[in-house]
Amino acid sequence: MNGVQIPHTPIAVDFWSLRRATSARLFFLSHMHSDHTVGLSSTWARPLYCSPITAFLLHRRLQVSKQWIRALEVGESHVLPLDELGRETMTVTLMDANHCPGSVMFLFEGYFGTILYTGDFRYTPSMLKEPALRVGKQIHTLYLDNTNCNPALVLPSQEEAARQIVELIRKHPEHNVKIGLYSLGKETLLEQLALEFQTWVVLSPPRLELVQLLGLADVFTMEETAGRIQAVDHLEICRSAMLRWNQTHPTIAVLPTSRQIHSSHPDIHIIPYSDHSSYSELRAFVAALKPCQVVPIVSRQPYQDYFQDSLSPRLSVPLVPDSVQQYMSSSSRKPSVLCLLLERKLKKPRTQGVVFESLEKDADQSQAVSDSTRVENESLSGNLQKQPSHHPVRIKQQLFTDVCSKEWDRAGHGAVPFPESRKILTAPLGFSLHLRSTDEEFLSPETGEETGVRPHLVPRADNDGSAASGNPSVWRDQDLPRPQGSEAVPLLTPQFRGLALKYLLTPVNVFQAGFSSRGFDQQVEKYHILAKSTQETTTSSDPTLQL
């Protein structure tokens, strides 16, 4: 387990053993890798703070109830209470950790001073330009990712390691390529390889959903015969699998990792592409921050006082306010006033979403509302009656809570009519449309309003400022123009597309099509034009390269 309960505080990060963290009341998750989620499951029943992308993955993969997930925007500061009445507060700021999708560093500021928890991270100099760190504030305690904190382990940069992988694949032009990965991480490497070699990258359905959520280029598919590069689980890369793959087609495998792994087959290549900071990068990071103390996160990794020459004088142990002490010593099962307020917020009606069901299943029960005025009067009076069906689509509106709606249906009363102010949606042929409470929103700790990952579904911009064409599921608003070259993938009608994007429902036809050839060709052409321009600029600026 790579997590910690911060001493003299009610804060726990990546630490999910309630039996050992008896005084923890505020729980934070840095990212979704399994070594940071040990003990976290669908039974978790306490508020948990994380980034929006991690919130989505946490609910989707571990089935943690959204009732407990608090999604905090990355790059913003958030004020959270440290006691039951909010007399003592702290500020927490989330910063991108450059490790995997949704991974963040936490900067905590409060009575305890300033604490930076990096989680797993790959250092880049741009991190020091973060507004929360740029002001030159003193870091009292730095919880540091020490995975590669070994002077004997020399790692190349991610850019250099990526070039090594490109050169390896270029030496095997007729081979299929298997890239062994964990379930989360290195998606941008796959994107780079697809553009470099002008081929589709084959992904599993969960990872395809993830790259669409991230807004990466439209170069991924589930069609196994579509491209020569395929991402597989790292455990699949073994001698028996290589023998099996090479029986049907020449195949090489790449394991992009800094771990010391023995290759069991001559066609298995280990490239030191790492999502963790190298020793030299850690030295540069600590030297720039000059914290008062450094605490290693990975307990199993040997650690010495490598940073002693970069530390500031240590401060005394902070005094814990009385209200915080009472909060930490109170029964963890006892609901606080703040929890009761949040629960009250949760009881408000939820935003309506869409669910498609088979038309054949409910064709004999399909109904529609014909007179909106009559419906409004009946809904006000409580005289709910069945309406004659004039369209092969059954439309249902939840006017009450989910429980009430289910009880009404079980009683055999049929569809619940809705007021005329509600826009009537038309379902595609072969589907019946239901409106029901969506399950893809999370609670904002500041406002108590529901929030989700939607604000982060913005396609990445190119150098000219235009958005890169990508999967249709990454565009935020239904009235935005579709990227040129993506017409090969049919979309739902505008009203359904807006709802599908808002609630992160990937249209079935997108998964079936998987890719669009015209959009792929345009993105590959743009990638190579940019690479050629960069190479010419480098050559012209360095006279030695012209010789």
Side-chain angles (χ1 to χ4, degrees), residues 361-421:
K361 179 180 178 180
D362 297 326
D364 57 333
Q365 301 177 0
S366 60
Q367 301 178 10
V369 178
S370 59
D371 189 345
S372 59
T373 304
R374 179 181 177 186
V375 169
E376 183 176 5
N377 293 336
E378 290 178 348
S379 64
L380 292 174
S381 62
N383 184 21
L384 305 177
Q385 299 177 358
K386 290 186 178 180
Q387 301 297 325
S389 176
H390 299 289
H391 192 279
V393 173
R394 180 162 60 95
I395 304 178
K396 182 184 296 184
Q397 167 70 18
Q398 284 188 314
L399 298 178
F400 311 104
T401 63
D402 291 341
V403 176
C404 294
S405 297
K406 292 177 182 177
E407 292 297 330
W408 185 268
D409 290 338
R410 279 199 288 265
H413 293 289
V416 182
F418 51 89
E420 60 182 353
S421 61

Side-chain angles (χ1 to χ4, degrees), residues 252-412:
I252 62 172
V254 178
L255 286 171
T257 179
S258 61
R259 299 191 177 194
Q260 303 300 313
I261 301 177
H262 172 69
S263 176
S264 59
H265 190 278
D267 288 328
I268 297 179
H269 303 270
I270 302 171
I271 305 295
Y273 184 103
S274 180
D275 291 323
H276 296 270
S277 302
S278 65
Y279 174 76
S280 60
E281 291 168 342
L282 293 176
R283 290 276 302 174
F285 185 61
V286 175
L289 293 180
K290 298 186 184 306
C292 296
Q293 65 172 331
V294 176
V295 179
I297 292 177
V298 185
S299 57
R300 68 178 183 276
Q301 180 71 22
Y303 176 80
Q304 300 179 19
D305 295 332
Y306 295 124
F307 311 104
Q308 202 64 34
D309 57 342
S310 300
L311 300 183
S312 299
R314 294 188 64 169
L315 301 180
S316 59
V317 177
L319 295 177
V320 182
D322 292 340
S323 60
V324 179
Q325 286 184 348
Q326 294 176 4
Y327 186 43
M328 294 168 62
S329 60
S330 63
S331 172
S332 60
R333 298 182 179 180
K334 180 181 178 181
S336 66
V337 175
L338 291 178
C339 290
L340 294 176
L341 291 176
L342 291 175
E343 290 298 327
R344 188 175 302 173
K345 288 286 186 180
L346 287 170
K347 293 181 181 179
K348 65 185 183 62
R350 293 178 178 267
T351 310
Q352 301 298 315
V354 296
V355 171
F356 295 100
E357 295 181 359
S358 171
L359 179 64
E360 298 178 358
K361 179 180 178 180
D362 297 326
D364 57 333
Q365 301 177 0
S366 60
Q367 301 178 10
V369 178
S370 59
D371 189 345
S372 59
T373 304
R374 179 181 177 186
V375 169
E376 183 176 5
N377 293 336
E378 290 178 348
S379 64
L380 292 174
S381 62
N383 184 21
L384 305 177
Q385 299 177 358
K386 290 186 178 180
Q387 301 297 325
S389 176
H390 299 289
H391 192 279
V393 173
R394 180 162 60 95
I395 304 178
K396 182 184 296 184
Q397 167 70 18
Q398 284 188 314
L399 298 178
F400 311 104
T401 63
D402 291 341
V403 176
C404 294
S405 297
K406 292 177 182 177
E407 292 297 330
W408 185 268
D409 290 338
R410 279 199 288 265

